[in-house]
Amino acid sequence: MLLHDVVNVPDLGIRVLHGDTDALARPVLRACTTDMPDPTRYVTAESLVFTGLVWRRSAEDTDLFVKRLVAAGVAAMAAGEALHGGVPDDVVDACVRHRLPLLAVPDHVPFSRVIEHMTGRMAGARMDRLQTGLARQRQWLSAVADGRPVEELLDRLAQQFGVQTWLITATGVTVTSTPLPDDAVLDGITATALTASRFPAATPDGFTILPVGRGLVDRLDSWFLVIRNRDVRTEVGSECVEAFGELATVVAFDRVRRDERRRAAWEIAEHSALAVPVGERVAVVAESEGHIPTDMLRALVEDVLGPCVTSVDTSGRVVALTGGTEETIAALLRRRLGRLTPALRHDRVFVGVSDRCTGDNVDGGVRAATAAAAAARNLPDTVSVRRSELDSALGLMSTLPADLLRSYADRILGEVIEHDRCTDARLLETLEVFLECDGSWRRAADRLHVHLNTVRYRIGRVEALTGRDLGRTGDRLDVYFALRSRGDCHTAPV
């Protein structure tokens, strides 16, 4: 109900001591009664607060009491006239000073009578809204069941209330066709949606956010309804928010159907050969550290990239092939997945992006993206996106076929690996440390905690088994790339 619904009741005789027409049009959600000097614990926002002024001892008491009511966001104060034979001037002055509407309740009218009147009006209005809401939901569910798009329902309700509305994911992707103004606005909206302790939530620039489905539980893959008045200087009304909240339950039903279709498509793909798209594609590999389910990560990647082909490798990494340039794809992933940071908490996401590849070298592109995702783990961000580096020899090698890399590594290091297997001589470990120490015998010995002569002996055995002289740059590079190729074979997706 509105504040003037209390004033315009002849039998109550309530008078307005302070408050203009706009103030009397404020909504009142409930009634509170208190005579405590500090009313903060006993009142709630948008309430009409009844007080007998028992707490009043001085003008300072009055000013503090009114100031605390305003801080609590109450709609107005109703002061009883019984104790002082009227409402004292300092009470009126304080309400004027702090812009709080003030009503006077006659001494012969008990507060309980006014509250009973308000309760009856509110209960009737609540029942009317409930019946209207149920009727609307039945119509919406019927429309969705008949195949009507959710976007059409949103547009109709938006026109009815004169608002703009959008349906977005937690990464800021718009589910409906109406785009939001820009990325900076989306950053603010998603940050509010992912951190709000309750809904509806509001942003400083006038957007009201409602969750679709379990918005307080699974925030990472939630949808949100965003509403804003066409006149951005005014707030969205409570009736409008309530109506869109009802529509959100219908949208949640539609979202479940979409998710079921997506899971069915994944199951079909698992039992059929993955079709590599024709033309140039960019490979994306995503993995997580923490408690993000693989299916959720896969859905997030699909939402961010749009139309793409996805799969999950044997190590649980999400692999996607998508169109576009590597620069655009990497920037898109950083921006959209980065919006999830407030909700990730103890989880991390690592993404690798390859250069463009075609059907002939898609496997190499996936390996390059996998290596980039592994390198992203060394970055400090919660969401780390890294492009493959083809400006280095190792980056170039990562794009070669896995069987070719394996064959190269086995040809050069095969006898060393077999010798270690039979004797536990630790030749391979010593070789790797020796190369990491730039061929320094002393530093390698210190790292391995062995005598200098032990390192010299082991490296001599490696040279004998490989036929390479590690004092020569070319031979050292051969062995180094063989080591790295062997590592790539172990980390590449199967």
Side-chain angles (χ1 to χ4, degrees):
M1 64 184 300
L2 303 181
L3 196 55
H4 63 62
D5 292 331
V6 181
V7 176
N8 297 330
V9 181
D11 292 345
L12 298 178
I14 296 176
R15 307 188 316 278
V16 180
L17 300 184
H18 170 64
D20 56 17
T21 304
D22 290 340
L24 295 179
R26 292 182 64 175
V28 178
L29 301 184
R30 60 192 61 84
C32 302
T33 303
T34 182
D35 268 306
M36 299 298 292
D38 183 356
T40 307
R41 295 172 55 190
Y42 309 98
V43 301
T44 55
E46 302 298 331
S47 61
L48 175 57
V49 179
F50 291 85
T51 176
L53 305 178
V54 175
W55 46 265
R56 176 181 171 274
R57 293 292 182 270
S58 65
E60 288 76 14
D61 293 339
T62 301
D63 188 78
L64 184 58
F65 186 88
V66 173
K67 187 183 297 183
R68 285 169 170 166
L69 290 183
V70 172
V74 305
M77 182 172 78
E81 296 182 314
L83 182 61
H84 300 287
V87 178
D89 292 340
D90 59 280
V91 176
V92 179
D93 292 342
C95 288
V96 172
R97 187 163 52 252
H98 296 291
R99 299 180 180 178
L100 180 67
L102 175 64
L103 309 181
V105 181
D107 58 1
H108 64 278
V109 177
F111 291 161
S112 59
R113 182 179 167 190
V114 184
I115 294 173
E116 183 179 351
H117 169 78
M118 292 177 61
T119 302
R121 285 290 301 269
M122 289 178 178
R126 190 175 296 113
M127 182 59 67
D128 291 341
R129 288 198 303 273
L130 179 60
Q131 291 175 345
T132 302
L134 288 173
R136 276 196 300 240
Q137 283 187 319
R138 282 195 294 268
Q139 292 175 354
W140 289 332
L141 284 170
S142 176
V144 171
D146 290 341
R148 299 271 287 279
V150 167
E151 186 172 6
E152 180 181 327
L153 304 181
L154 288 170
D155 288 343
R156 286 191 175 186
L157 194 60
Q159 291 175 8
Q160 178 182 338
F161 285 99
V163 298
Q164 297 171 293
T165 183
W166 301 267
L167 181 60
I168 67 170
T169 69
T171 60
V173 176
T174 51
V175 179
T176 53
S177 60
T178 307
L180 275 155
D182 54 48
D183 280 333
V185 171
L186 275 170
D187 291 344
I189 291 173
T190 54
T192 300
L194 293 174
T195 57
S197 58
R198 63 180 182 176
F199 290 99
T203 67
D205 44 358
F207 292 95
T208 299
I209 305 169
L210 293 168
V212 173
R214 299 173 297 168
L216 279 172
V217 181
D218 299 323
R219 304 250 184 147
L220 287 181
D221 69 338
S222 290
W223 285 4
F224 299 95
L225 271 177
V226 182
I227 317 163
R228 184 174 67 173
N229 267 332
R230 296 188 183 278
D231 181 359
V232 297
R233 296 169 298 179
T234 59
E235 295 181 357
V236 178
S238 58
E239 185 179 352
C240 173
V241 172
E242 187 173 344
F244 273 98
E246 295 163 359
L247 182 54
T249 61
V250 178
V251 176
F253 168 71
D254 183 67
R255 196 261 167 96
V256 170
R257 295 201 308 180
R258 296 193 193 200
D259 287 346
E260 289 297 331
R261 288 196 294 268
R262 170 182 273 168
R263 278 190 283 270
W266 289 348
E267 290 179 5
I268 292 173
E270 287 176 2
H271 295 90
S272 60
L274 181 64
V276 177
V278 178
E280 288 190 329
R281 287 293 182 268
V282 173
V284 174
V285 172
E287 53 185 317
S288 64
E289 180 181 85
H291 304 90
I292 302 175
T294 301
D295 282 355
M296 181 184 291
L297 183 60
R298 186 177 183 180
L300 288 172
V301 169
E302 289 188 359
D303 286 340
V304 167
L305 296 178
C308 61
V309 176
T310 65
S311 62
V312 178
D313 69 11
T314 55
S315 298
R317 290 178 290 245
V318 176
V319 180
L321 297 176
T322 185
T325 66
E326 54 271 30
E327 296 90 347
T328 302
I329 297 302
L332 196 67
L333 288 162
R334 285 192 188 96
R335 183 110 203 190
R336 292 181 172 176
L337 290 179
R339 291 179 177 137
L340 300 175
T341 300
L344 285 173
R345 296 177 182 158
H346 304 298
D347 299 321
R348 297 183 68 200
V349 176
F350 315 102
V351 185
V353 181
S354 77
D355 286 314
R356 278 171 287 184
C357 52
T358 60
D360 295 335
N361 63 348
V362 162
D363 287 344
V366 172
R367 283 194 299 276
T370 302
R377 288 180 174 271
N378 297 322
L379 301 176
D381 301 325
T382 303
V383 176
S384 301
V385 179
R386 183 162 180 166
R387 288 177 52 193
S388 62
E389 299 176 351
L390 288 185
D391 54 354
S392 69
L394 288 178
L396 181 61
M397 287 184 64
S398 68
T399 66
L400 297 176
D403 55 350
L404 181 61
L405 291 172
R406 187 178 294 108
S407 175
Y408 176 75
D410 289 345
R411 176 171 297 186
I412 294 180
L413 296 176
E415 291 190 31
V416 176
I417 295 170
E418 181 64 19
H419 188 276
D420 272 353
R421 188 183 67 81
C422 296
T423 65
D424 193 26
R426 298 174 62 191
L427 297 185
L428 202 65
E429 177 190 4
T430 302
L431 172 63
E432 188 159 9
V433 172
F434 177 71
L435 293 177
E436 287 177 357
C437 293
D438 301 321
S440 169
W441 307 100
R442 175 62 61 190
R443 286 164 52 200
D446 291 342
R447 283 268 302 273
L448 292 167
H449 305 291
V450 298
H451 193 274
L452 180 66
N453 288 338
T454 302
V455 176
R456 291 183 183 276
Y457 170 77
R458 292 178 181 174
I459 295 302
R461 292 295 298 145
V462 169
E463 290 178 326
L465 292 169
T466 61
R468 260 66 173 184
D469 180 359
L470 294 183
R472 296 177 53 195
T473 301
D475 287 354
R476 187 183 294 185
L477 284 174
D478 285 346
V479 175
Y480 175 76
F481 286 136
L483 275 173
R484 297 283 76 79
S485 297
R486 184 172 177 271
D488 288 338
C489 293
H490 287 177
T491 58
V494 178

